[in-house]
mmCIF file of all heavy atoms in Angstrom:
data_model
loop_
_atom_site.group_PDB
_atom_site.id
_atom_site.type_symbol
_atom_site.label_atom_id
_atom_site.label_comp_id
_atom_site.label_asym_id
_atom_site.label_seq_id
_atom_site.Cartn_x
_atom_site.Cartn_y
_atom_site.Cartn_z
ATOM 1 N N LYS A 767 17.948 10.260 -7.471
ATOM 2 C CA LYS A 767 19.259 10.820 -7.159
ATOM 3 C C LYS A 767 20.364 10.069 -7.872
ATOM 4 O O LYS A 767 20.242 8.913 -8.210
ATOM 5 C CB LYS A 767 19.469 10.761 -5.647
ATOM 6 C CG LYS A 767 18.986 12.047 -5.003
ATOM 7 C CD LYS A 767 19.271 12.003 -3.523
ATOM 8 C CE LYS A 767 18.034 12.344 -2.747
ATOM 9 N NZ LYS A 767 17.572 11.323 -1.864
ATOM 10 N N GLN A 844 3.427 -7.411 -1.365
ATOM 11 C CA GLN A 844 3.703 -6.685 -0.129
ATOM 12 C C GLN A 844 3.042 -5.307 -0.137
ATOM 13 O O GLN A 844 2.498 -4.871 0.868
ATOM 14 C CB GLN A 844 5.222 -6.569 0.078
ATOM 15 C CG GLN A 844 5.808 -7.899 0.496
ATOM 16 C CD GLN A 844 7.298 -7.985 0.298
ATOM 17 O OE1 GLN A 844 7.979 -6.971 0.186
ATOM 18 N NE2 GLN A 844 7.812 -9.195 0.256
ATOM 19 N N ARG A 848 -0.153 -4.543 2.037
ATOM 20 C CA ARG A 848 0.474 -3.698 3.055
ATOM 21 C C ARG A 848 1.161 -4.546 4.108
ATOM 22 O O ARG A 848 1.087 -4.260 5.296
ATOM 23 C CB ARG A 848 -0.557 -2.807 3.745
ATOM 24 C CG ARG A 848 -1.397 -1.986 2.808
ATOM 25 C CD ARG A 848 -2.391 -1.160 3.560
ATOM 26 N NE ARG A 848 -1.747 -0.100 4.294
ATOM 27 C CZ ARG A 848 -2.299 0.527 5.315
ATOM 28 N NH1 ARG A 848 -3.484 0.198 5.719
ATOM 29 N NH2 ARG A 848 -1.662 1.490 5.923
ATOM 30 N N MET A 971 4.812 0.527 -14.893
ATOM 31 C CA MET A 971 3.959 1.703 -15.095
ATOM 32 C C MET A 971 3.132 2.005 -13.850
ATOM 33 O O MET A 971 2.480 3.033 -13.769
ATOM 34 C CB MET A 971 3.028 1.465 -16.279
ATOM 35 C CG MET A 971 3.768 1.222 -17.567
ATOM 36 S SD MET A 971 2.687 1.314 -19.002
ATOM 37 C CE MET A 971 1.657 -0.099 -18.765
ATOM 38 N N PHE A 972 3.138 1.103 -12.890
ATOM 39 C CA PHE A 972 2.284 1.274 -11.713
ATOM 40 C C PHE A 972 3.077 1.513 -10.431
ATOM 41 O O PHE A 972 2.556 1.319 -9.345
ATOM 42 C CB PHE A 972 1.395 0.035 -11.528
ATOM 43 C CG PHE A 972 0.189 0.041 -12.424
ATOM 44 C CD1 PHE A 972 0.282 -0.379 -13.733
ATOM 45 C CD2 PHE A 972 -1.042 0.483 -11.957
ATOM 46 C CE1 PHE A 972 -0.822 -0.375 -14.567
ATOM 47 C CE2 PHE A 972 -2.147 0.500 -12.790
ATOM 48 C CZ PHE A 972 -2.036 0.068 -14.106
ATOM 49 N N ARG A 974 4.049 4.243 -8.985
ATOM 50 C CA ARG A 974 3.514 5.283 -8.095
ATOM 51 C C ARG A 974 2.217 4.833 -7.439
ATOM 52 O O ARG A 974 1.951 5.160 -6.286
ATOM 53 C CB ARG A 974 3.319 6.583 -8.867
ATOM 54 C CG ARG A 974 4.628 7.352 -8.990
ATOM 55 C CD ARG A 974 4.386 8.777 -9.403
ATOM 56 N NE ARG A 974 3.908 8.857 -10.760
ATOM 57 C CZ ARG A 974 3.223 9.896 -11.247
ATOM 58 N NH1 ARG A 974 2.941 10.904 -10.460
ATOM 59 N NH2 ARG A 974 2.828 9.908 -12.492
ATOM 60 N N ASP A 975 1.419 4.063 -8.179
ATOM 61 C CA ASP A 975 0.209 3.485 -7.588
ATOM 62 C C ASP A 975 0.588 2.565 -6.429
ATOM 63 O O ASP A 975 -0.071 2.562 -5.387
ATOM 64 C CB ASP A 975 -0.573 2.677 -8.624
ATOM 65 C CG ASP A 975 -0.927 3.495 -9.855
ATOM 66 O OD1 ASP A 975 0.005 3.938 -10.543
ATOM 67 O OD2 ASP A 975 -2.124 3.696 -10.110
ATOM 68 N N ASN A 977 3.202 2.758 -4.507
ATOM 69 C CA ASN A 977 3.550 3.606 -3.361
ATOM 70 C C ASN A 977 2.308 4.006 -2.581
ATOM 71 O O ASN A 977 2.253 3.876 -1.357
ATOM 72 C CB ASN A 977 4.225 4.898 -3.841
ATOM 73 C CG ASN A 977 5.690 4.695 -4.142
ATOM 74 O OD1 ASN A 977 6.271 3.697 -3.738
ATOM 75 N ND2 ASN A 977 6.278 5.645 -4.845
ATOM 76 N N ILE A 978 1.320 4.495 -3.310
ATOM 77 C CA ILE A 978 0.145 5.042 -2.644
ATOM 78 C C ILE A 978 -0.697 3.931 -2.029
ATOM 79 O O ILE A 978 -1.277 4.109 -0.963
ATOM 80 C CB ILE A 978 -0.665 5.888 -3.650
ATOM 81 C CG1 ILE A 978 0.159 7.134 -3.987
ATOM 82 C CG2 ILE A 978 -2.000 6.293 -3.082
ATOM 83 C CD1 ILE A 978 -0.441 8.014 -5.031
ATOM 84 N N THR A 980 0.275 1.451 -0.483
ATOM 85 C CA THR A 980 0.772 1.042 0.837
ATOM 86 C C THR A 980 0.164 1.890 1.947
ATOM 87 O O THR A 980 0.280 1.542 3.110
ATOM 88 C CB THR A 980 2.312 1.167 0.948
ATOM 89 O OG1 THR A 980 2.658 2.561 0.882
ATOM 90 C CG2 THR A 980 3.028 0.433 -0.147
ATOM 91 N N LEU A 981 -0.478 2.995 1.601
ATOM 92 C CA LEU A 981 -1.119 3.816 2.630
ATOM 93 C C LEU A 981 -2.523 3.328 2.936
ATOM 94 O O LEU A 981 -3.230 3.931 3.742
ATOM 95 C CB LEU A 981 -1.195 5.284 2.177
ATOM 96 C CG LEU A 981 0.120 5.956 1.813
ATOM 97 C CD1 LEU A 981 -0.115 7.393 1.397
ATOM 98 C CD2 LEU A 981 1.078 5.919 2.992
ATOM 99 N N GLU A 984 -8.291 3.252 1.491
ATOM 100 C CA GLU A 984 -9.059 4.475 1.689
ATOM 101 C C GLU A 984 -8.253 5.683 1.225
ATOM 102 O O GLU A 984 -8.713 6.498 0.435
ATOM 103 C CB GLU A 984 -9.392 4.586 3.183
ATOM 104 C CG GLU A 984 -10.628 5.355 3.479
ATOM 105 C CD GLU A 984 -11.149 5.041 4.872
ATOM 106 O OE1 GLU A 984 -11.472 3.879 5.161
ATOM 107 O OE2 GLU A 984 -11.207 5.963 5.682
ATOM 108 N N LYS A 985 -7.026 5.770 1.743
ATOM 109 C CA LYS A 985 -6.173 6.908 1.392
ATOM 110 C C LYS A 985 -5.824 6.864 -0.098
ATOM 111 O O LYS A 985 -5.765 7.900 -0.751
ATOM 112 C CB LYS A 985 -4.895 6.873 2.246
ATOM 113 C CG LYS A 985 -4.070 8.143 2.170
ATOM 114 C CD LYS A 985 -4.708 9.281 2.935
ATOM 115 C CE LYS A 985 -4.419 10.612 2.303
ATOM 116 N NZ LYS A 985 -5.131 11.723 2.913
ATOM 117 N N LYS A 987 -7.567 5.817 -2.532
ATOM 118 C CA LYS A 987 -8.701 6.324 -3.306
ATOM 119 C C LYS A 987 -8.744 7.853 -3.203
ATOM 120 O O LYS A 987 -8.950 8.552 -4.188
ATOM 121 C CB LYS A 987 -9.986 5.716 -2.754
ATOM 122 C CG LYS A 987 -11.154 6.109 -3.583
ATOM 123 C CD LYS A 987 -12.394 5.321 -3.275
ATOM 124 C CE LYS A 987 -13.460 5.809 -4.224
ATOM 125 N NZ LYS A 987 -14.711 5.193 -4.093
ATOM 126 N N GLN A 988 -8.532 8.351 -1.993
ATOM 127 C CA GLN A 988 -8.586 9.801 -1.804
ATOM 128 C C GLN A 988 -7.477 10.526 -2.557
ATOM 129 O O GLN A 988 -7.595 11.690 -2.892
ATOM 130 C CB GLN A 988 -8.502 10.130 -0.307
ATOM 131 C CG GLN A 988 -9.759 9.728 0.430
ATOM 132 C CD GLN A 988 -9.551 9.585 1.918
ATOM 133 O OE1 GLN A 988 -8.448 9.759 2.427
ATOM 134 N NE2 GLN A 988 -10.622 9.283 2.630
ATOM 135 N N LEU A 989 -6.365 9.822 -2.801
ATOM 136 C CA LEU A 989 -5.268 10.455 -3.529
ATOM 137 C C LEU A 989 -5.409 10.278 -5.036
ATOM 138 O O LEU A 989 -4.555 10.703 -5.807
ATOM 139 C CB LEU A 989 -3.923 9.911 -3.063
ATOM 140 C CG LEU A 989 -3.466 10.383 -1.682
ATOM 141 C CD1 LEU A 989 -2.206 9.671 -1.256
ATOM 142 C CD2 LEU A 989 -3.242 11.885 -1.665
ATOM 143 N N GLY A 990 -6.497 9.610 -5.462
ATOM 144 C CA GLY A 990 -6.780 9.560 -6.886
ATOM 145 C C GLY A 990 -6.458 8.257 -7.583
ATOM 146 O O GLY A 990 -6.445 8.199 -8.807
ATOM 147 N N VAL A 991 -6.174 7.184 -6.825
ATOM 148 C CA VAL A 991 -5.929 5.891 -7.463
ATOM 149 C C VAL A 991 -7.269 5.248 -7.799
ATOM 150 O O VAL A 991 -8.163 5.203 -6.958
ATOM 151 C CB VAL A 991 -5.140 4.950 -6.525
ATOM 152 C CG1 VAL A 991 -5.053 3.551 -7.115
ATOM 153 C CG2 VAL A 991 -3.755 5.501 -6.274
ATOM 154 N N ARG A 1030 14.739 -2.575 -0.298
ATOM 155 C CA ARG A 1030 14.272 -1.458 0.549
ATOM 156 C C ARG A 1030 15.362 -0.975 1.484
ATOM 157 O O ARG A 1030 15.427 0.208 1.828
ATOM 158 C CB ARG A 1030 13.028 -1.872 1.324
ATOM 159 C CG ARG A 1030 11.757 -1.759 0.505
ATOM 160 C CD ARG A 1030 10.526 -1.792 1.374
ATOM 161 N NE ARG A 1030 10.292 -3.127 1.876
ATOM 162 C CZ ARG A 1030 9.482 -4.007 1.274
ATOM 163 N NH1 ARG A 1030 8.834 -3.671 0.191
ATOM 164 N NH2 ARG A 1030 9.324 -5.205 1.769
ATOM 165 N N ALA A 1035 11.702 3.136 0.629
ATOM 166 C CA ALA A 1035 10.414 2.493 0.363
ATOM 167 C C ALA A 1035 9.851 2.795 -1.018
ATOM 168 O O ALA A 1035 8.921 2.136 -1.462
ATOM 169 C CB ALA A 1035 9.410 2.923 1.421
ATOM 170 N N ASP A 1036 10.416 3.780 -1.720
ATOM 171 C CA ASP A 1036 9.830 4.233 -2.973
ATOM 172 C C ASP A 1036 9.892 3.149 -4.052
ATOM 173 O O ASP A 1036 10.975 2.733 -4.459
ATOM 174 C CB ASP A 1036 10.593 5.485 -3.440
ATOM 175 C CG ASP A 1036 9.894 6.163 -4.604
ATOM 176 O OD1 ASP A 1036 9.006 5.540 -5.211
ATOM 177 O OD2 ASP A 1036 10.239 7.315 -4.884
ATOM 178 N N ARG A 1038 9.441 3.265 -7.115
ATOM 179 C CA ARG A 1038 10.085 3.630 -8.365
ATOM 180 C C ARG A 1038 11.526 3.141 -8.392
ATOM 181 O O ARG A 1038 12.107 2.936 -9.440
ATOM 182 C CB ARG A 1038 10.034 5.147 -8.566
ATOM 183 C CG ARG A 1038 8.659 5.623 -8.999
ATOM 184 C CD ARG A 1038 8.594 7.113 -9.031
ATOM 185 N NE ARG A 1038 8.810 7.660 -7.694
ATOM 186 C CZ ARG A 1038 8.817 8.961 -7.437
ATOM 187 N NH1 ARG A 1038 8.649 9.826 -8.405
ATOM 188 N NH2 ARG A 1038 8.985 9.388 -6.209
ATOM 189 N N LYS A 1039 12.103 2.974 -7.193
ATOM 190 C CA LYS A 1039 13.447 2.399 -7.137
ATOM 191 C C LYS A 1039 13.405 0.943 -6.700
ATOM 192 O O LYS A 1039 14.191 0.125 -7.162
ATOM 193 C CB LYS A 1039 14.300 3.184 -6.129
ATOM 194 C CG LYS A 1039 14.434 4.648 -6.467
ATOM 195 C CD LYS A 1039 14.974 5.434 -5.285
ATOM 196 C CE LYS A 1039 14.196 6.694 -5.063
ATOM 197 N NZ LYS A 1039 14.370 7.235 -3.710
ATOM 198 N N PHE A 1095 10.496 -3.474 9.695
ATOM 199 C CA PHE A 1095 10.095 -3.171 8.313
ATOM 200 C C PHE A 1095 10.248 -1.709 8.006
ATOM 201 O O PHE A 1095 9.414 -0.942 8.089
ATOM 202 C CB PHE A 1095 8.673 -3.655 8.090
ATOM 203 C CG PHE A 1095 8.548 -5.116 8.378
ATOM 204 C CD1 PHE A 1095 7.732 -5.562 9.383
ATOM 205 C CD2 PHE A 1095 9.305 -6.018 7.662
ATOM 206 C CE1 PHE A 1095 7.640 -6.927 9.656
ATOM 207 C CE2 PHE A 1095 9.217 -7.368 7.932
ATOM 208 C CZ PHE A 1095 8.384 -7.822 8.932
ATOM 209 N N ARG B 79 -16.742 9.441 5.450
ATOM 210 C CA ARG B 79 -16.557 8.312 4.531
ATOM 211 C C ARG B 79 -17.516 8.434 3.345
ATOM 212 O O ARG B 79 -17.177 8.069 2.223
ATOM 213 C CB ARG B 79 -16.767 6.988 5.259
ATOM 214 C CG ARG B 79 -15.647 6.678 6.242
ATOM 215 C CD ARG B 79 -15.928 5.391 6.985
ATOM 216 N NE ARG B 79 -16.068 4.279 6.063
ATOM 217 C CZ ARG B 79 -15.091 3.475 5.707
ATOM 218 N NH1 ARG B 79 -13.896 3.667 6.216
ATOM 219 N NH2 ARG B 79 -15.295 2.493 4.879
ATOM 220 N N SER B 82 -16.142 11.070 0.873
ATOM 221 C CA SER B 82 -15.026 10.645 0.020
ATOM 222 C C SER B 82 -15.407 9.452 -0.844
ATOM 223 O O SER B 82 -14.549 8.826 -1.450
ATOM 224 C CB SER B 82 -13.764 10.381 0.843
ATOM 225 O OG SER B 82 -14.063 9.965 2.118
ATOM 226 N N GLY B 83 -16.698 9.132 -0.883
ATOM 227 C CA GLY B 83 -17.152 8.109 -1.812
ATOM 228 C C GLY B 83 -16.828 6.696 -1.369
ATOM 229 O O GLY B 83 -16.868 5.763 -2.153
ATOM 230 N N LEU B 84 -16.480 6.513 -0.086
ATOM 231 C CA LEU B 84 -16.150 5.174 0.405
ATOM 232 C C LEU B 84 -17.402 4.428 0.862
ATOM 233 O O LEU B 84 -17.402 3.218 0.981
ATOM 234 C CB LEU B 84 -15.147 5.256 1.560
ATOM 235 C CG LEU B 84 -13.787 5.825 1.183
ATOM 236 C CD1 LEU B 84 -13.038 6.295 2.406
ATOM 237 C CD2 LEU B 84 -12.978 4.784 0.438
ATOM 238 N N PRO B 104 -11.751 9.224 -9.857
ATOM 239 C CA PRO B 104 -10.832 9.351 -8.719
ATOM 240 C C PRO B 104 -9.807 10.468 -8.862
ATOM 241 O O PRO B 104 -9.557 11.213 -7.906
ATOM 242 C CB PRO B 104 -10.141 7.993 -8.662
ATOM 243 C CG PRO B 104 -10.974 7.064 -9.436
ATOM 244 C CD PRO B 104 -11.832 7.857 -10.362
ATOM 245 N N LYS B 105 -9.213 10.595 -10.048
ATOM 246 C CA LYS B 105 -8.151 11.606 -10.189
ATOM 247 C C LYS B 105 -8.716 13.018 -10.082
ATOM 248 O O LYS B 105 -8.103 13.890 -9.477
ATOM 249 C CB LYS B 105 -7.441 11.423 -11.533
ATOM 250 C CG LYS B 105 -6.412 10.331 -11.475
ATOM 251 C CD LYS B 105 -5.311 10.552 -12.483
ATOM 252 C CE LYS B 105 -4.119 9.683 -12.105
ATOM 253 N NZ LYS B 105 -2.977 9.890 -12.965
ATOM 254 N N ALA B 108 -9.460 13.758 -6.483
ATOM 255 C CA ALA B 108 -8.278 14.041 -5.671
ATOM 256 C C ALA B 108 -7.683 15.413 -5.966
ATOM 257 O O ALA B 108 -7.036 16.001 -5.108
ATOM 258 C CB ALA B 108 -7.222 12.956 -5.895
ATOM 259 N N VAL B 113 -8.641 14.761 1.679
ATOM 260 C CA VAL B 113 -9.214 14.247 2.920
ATOM 261 C C VAL B 113 -8.086 13.916 3.893
ATOM 262 O O VAL B 113 -7.177 13.162 3.565
ATOM 263 C CB VAL B 113 -10.058 12.983 2.649
ATOM 264 C CG1 VAL B 113 -10.740 12.520 3.914
ATOM 265 C CG2 VAL B 113 -11.083 13.248 1.556
ATOM 266 N N ASP B 119 -1.816 5.167 8.982
ATOM 267 C CA ASP B 119 -0.817 4.147 9.227
ATOM 268 C C ASP B 119 0.086 4.061 7.995
ATOM 269 O O ASP B 119 -0.401 3.880 6.887
ATOM 270 C CB ASP B 119 -1.555 2.826 9.479
ATOM 271 C CG ASP B 119 -0.601 1.693 9.730
ATOM 272 O OD1 ASP B 119 0.497 1.968 10.253
ATOM 273 O OD2 ASP B 119 -0.935 0.542 9.405
ATOM 274 N N PRO B 121 2.919 1.817 6.810
ATOM 275 C CA PRO B 121 3.736 0.640 7.136
ATOM 276 C C PRO B 121 5.066 0.586 6.391
ATOM 277 O O PRO B 121 5.974 -0.096 6.827
ATOM 278 C CB PRO B 121 2.843 -0.538 6.747
ATOM 279 C CG PRO B 121 1.884 -0.001 5.751
ATOM 280 C CD PRO B 121 1.713 1.454 6.050
ATOM 281 N N PHE B 122 5.181 1.290 5.260
ATOM 282 C CA PHE B 122 6.447 1.288 4.535
ATOM 283 C C PHE B 122 7.131 2.614 4.793
ATOM 284 O O PHE B 122 6.498 3.654 4.816
ATOM 285 C CB PHE B 122 6.207 1.093 3.038
ATOM 286 C CG PHE B 122 5.806 -0.305 2.677
ATOM 287 C CD1 PHE B 122 4.575 -0.804 3.065
ATOM 288 C CD2 PHE B 122 6.651 -1.125 1.984
ATOM 289 C CE1 PHE B 122 4.191 -2.097 2.755
ATOM 290 C CE2 PHE B 122 6.283 -2.427 1.655
ATOM 291 C CZ PHE B 122 5.052 -2.905 2.039
ATOM 292 N N ASP B 123 8.453 2.554 4.964
ATOM 293 C CA ASP B 123 9.150 3.707 5.503
ATOM 294 C C ASP B 123 9.601 4.699 4.435
ATOM 295 O O ASP B 123 10.774 4.759 4.081
ATOM 296 C CB ASP B 123 10.338 3.226 6.324
ATOM 297 C CG ASP B 123 10.488 4.075 7.568
ATOM 298 O OD1 ASP B 123 9.656 4.985 7.754
ATOM 299 O OD2 ASP B 123 11.430 3.835 8.331
ATOM 300 N N PHE B 124 8.659 5.504 3.953
ATOM 301 C CA PHE B 124 8.986 6.520 2.970
ATOM 302 C C PHE B 124 9.691 7.688 3.637
ATOM 303 O O PHE B 124 9.570 7.897 4.843
ATOM 304 C CB PHE B 124 7.724 7.028 2.292
ATOM 305 C CG PHE B 124 7.050 6.008 1.432
ATOM 306 C CD1 PHE B 124 5.971 5.290 1.896
ATOM 307 C CD2 PHE B 124 7.522 5.753 0.157
ATOM 308 C CE1 PHE B 124 5.359 4.330 1.112
ATOM 309 C CE2 PHE B 124 6.918 4.801 -0.640
ATOM 310 C CZ PHE B 124 5.834 4.090 -0.156
ATOM 311 N N GLU B 128 9.178 11.957 -0.272
ATOM 312 C CA GLU B 128 8.458 10.989 -1.103
ATOM 313 C C GLU B 128 6.983 10.950 -0.721
ATOM 314 O O GLU B 128 6.095 10.887 -1.576
ATOM 315 C CB GLU B 128 9.057 9.580 -0.909
ATOM 316 C CG GLU B 128 10.436 9.388 -1.490
ATOM 317 C CD GLU B 128 11.140 8.147 -0.942
ATOM 318 O OE1 GLU B 128 10.646 7.528 0.033
ATOM 319 O OE2 GLU B 128 12.204 7.807 -1.473
ATOM 320 N N PHE B 135 -0.008 12.824 -7.113
ATOM 321 C CA PHE B 135 -0.321 11.708 -8.014
ATOM 322 C C PHE B 135 -1.414 12.071 -9.019
ATOM 323 O O PHE B 135 -1.306 11.795 -10.205
ATOM 324 C CB PHE B 135 -0.770 10.503 -7.175
ATOM 325 C CG PHE B 135 -1.233 9.325 -7.975
ATOM 326 C CD1 PHE B 135 -0.306 8.470 -8.551
ATOM 327 C CD2 PHE B 135 -2.582 9.069 -8.166
ATOM 328 C CE1 PHE B 135 -0.722 7.378 -9.292
ATOM 329 C CE2 PHE B 135 -3.005 7.979 -8.909
ATOM 330 C CZ PHE B 135 -2.070 7.135 -9.476
ATOM 331 N N GLY B 139 -0.159 12.316 -15.272
ATOM 332 C CA GLY B 139 -0.599 11.109 -15.964
ATOM 333 C C GLY B 139 0.356 9.961 -15.718
ATOM 334 O O GLY B 139 1.458 10.161 -15.202
ATOM 335 N N ARG B 140 -0.076 8.764 -16.118
ATOM 336 C CA ARG B 140 0.732 7.564 -15.862
ATOM 337 C C ARG B 140 2.086 7.626 -16.558
ATOM 338 O O ARG B 140 3.070 7.122 -16.063
ATOM 339 C CB ARG B 140 -0.048 6.334 -16.305
ATOM 340 C CG ARG B 140 0.657 5.038 -16.044
ATOM 341 C CD ARG B 140 -0.249 3.827 -16.164
ATOM 342 N NE ARG B 140 -1.457 3.889 -15.359
ATOM 343 C CZ ARG B 140 -1.499 3.830 -14.056
ATOM 344 N NH1 ARG B 140 -0.385 3.706 -13.374
ATOM 345 N NH2 ARG B 140 -2.626 3.894 -13.405
ATOM 346 N N PHE B 141 2.116 8.234 -17.740
ATOM 347 C CA PHE B 141 3.360 8.226 -18.495
ATOM 348 C C PHE B 141 4.131 9.536 -18.357
ATOM 349 O O PHE B 141 5.120 9.764 -19.027
ATOM 350 C CB PHE B 141 3.077 7.923 -19.973
ATOM 351 C CG PHE B 141 2.430 6.586 -20.134
ATOM 352 C CD1 PHE B 141 1.075 6.478 -20.360
ATOM 353 C CD2 PHE B 141 3.188 5.426 -20.006
ATOM 354 C CE1 PHE B 141 0.480 5.233 -20.481
ATOM 355 C CE2 PHE B 141 2.595 4.176 -20.126
ATOM 356 C CZ PHE B 141 1.234 4.082 -20.362
ATOM 357 N N GLU B 142 3.624 10.402 -17.491
ATOM 358 C CA GLU B 142 4.321 11.654 -17.246
ATOM 359 C C GLU B 142 5.261 11.461 -16.073
ATOM 360 O O GLU B 142 4.860 10.895 -15.057
ATOM 361 C CB GLU B 142 3.304 12.724 -16.848
ATOM 362 C CG GLU B 142 2.912 13.678 -17.940
ATOM 363 C CD GLU B 142 1.909 14.660 -17.405
ATOM 364 O OE1 GLU B 142 0.841 14.240 -16.927
ATOM 365 O OE2 GLU B 142 2.192 15.857 -17.434
ATOM 366 N N LEU B 144 7.698 13.251 -13.044
ATOM 367 C CA LEU B 144 7.580 14.468 -12.251
ATOM 368 C C LEU B 144 8.367 15.589 -12.907
ATOM 369 O O LEU B 144 9.458 15.386 -13.441
ATOM 370 C CB LEU B 144 8.101 14.206 -10.841
ATOM 371 C CG LEU B 144 7.235 13.227 -10.042
ATOM 372 C CD1 LEU B 144 7.921 12.866 -8.736
ATOM 373 C CD2 LEU B 144 5.871 13.816 -9.774
ATOM 374 N N GLU B 166 14.339 14.631 4.133
ATOM 375 C CA GLU B 166 14.976 13.330 3.912
ATOM 376 C C GLU B 166 14.735 12.361 5.061
ATOM 377 O O GLU B 166 15.222 11.233 5.048
ATOM 378 C CB GLU B 166 16.487 13.500 3.685
ATOM 379 C CG GLU B 166 16.847 14.323 2.456
ATOM 380 C CD GLU B 166 16.300 13.720 1.164
ATOM 381 O OE1 GLU B 166 16.236 12.476 1.072
ATOM 382 O OE2 GLU B 166 15.916 14.497 0.260
ATOM 383 N N GLN B 184 0.821 16.497 2.568
ATOM 384 C CA GLN B 184 0.440 15.650 1.438
ATOM 385 C C GLN B 184 -0.907 16.092 0.873
ATOM 386 O O GLN B 184 -1.105 16.154 -0.337
ATOM 387 C CB GLN B 184 0.373 14.189 1.890
ATOM 388 C CG GLN B 184 0.234 13.216 0.750
ATOM 389 C CD GLN B 184 -0.084 11.827 1.243
ATOM 390 O OE1 GLN B 184 -1.060 11.623 1.957
ATOM 391 N NE2 GLN B 184 0.739 10.864 0.869
ATOM 392 N N GLN B 188 -2.024 18.098 -3.044
ATOM 393 C CA GLN B 188 -3.073 17.793 -4.020
ATOM 394 C C GLN B 188 -3.623 19.052 -4.667
ATOM 395 O O GLN B 188 -4.388 18.975 -5.612
ATOM 396 C CB GLN B 188 -4.224 17.040 -3.340
ATOM 397 C CG GLN B 188 -3.901 15.617 -2.962
ATOM 398 C CD GLN B 188 -4.996 15.003 -2.101
ATOM 399 O OE1 GLN B 188 -4.800 14.740 -0.926
ATOM 400 N NE2 GLN B 188 -6.173 14.777 -2.678
#
Side-chain angles (χ1 to χ4, degrees):
Chain A
K767 269 183 231 120
Q844 286 162 20
R848 307 179 70 200
M971 300 193 293
F972 280 82
R974 278 196 291 158
D975 304 63
N977 279 345
I978 292 176
T980 67
L981 303 180
E984 207 161 300
K985 192 74 212 174
K987 185 168 182 180
Q988 290 160 359
L989 287 174
V991 172
R1030 278 196 287 266
D1036 190 346
R1038 284 173 297 179
K1039 301 166 226 160
F1095 303 117
Chain B
R79 290 177 59 93
S82 29
L84 296 161
K105 279 207 163 184
V113 185
D119 179 29
F122 287 68
D123 219 1
F124 293 99
E128 290 164 350
F135 175 79
R140 182 166 307 291
F141 300 102
E142 259 180 302
L144 293 172
E166 298 301 326
Q184 190 191 56
Q188 288 171 249

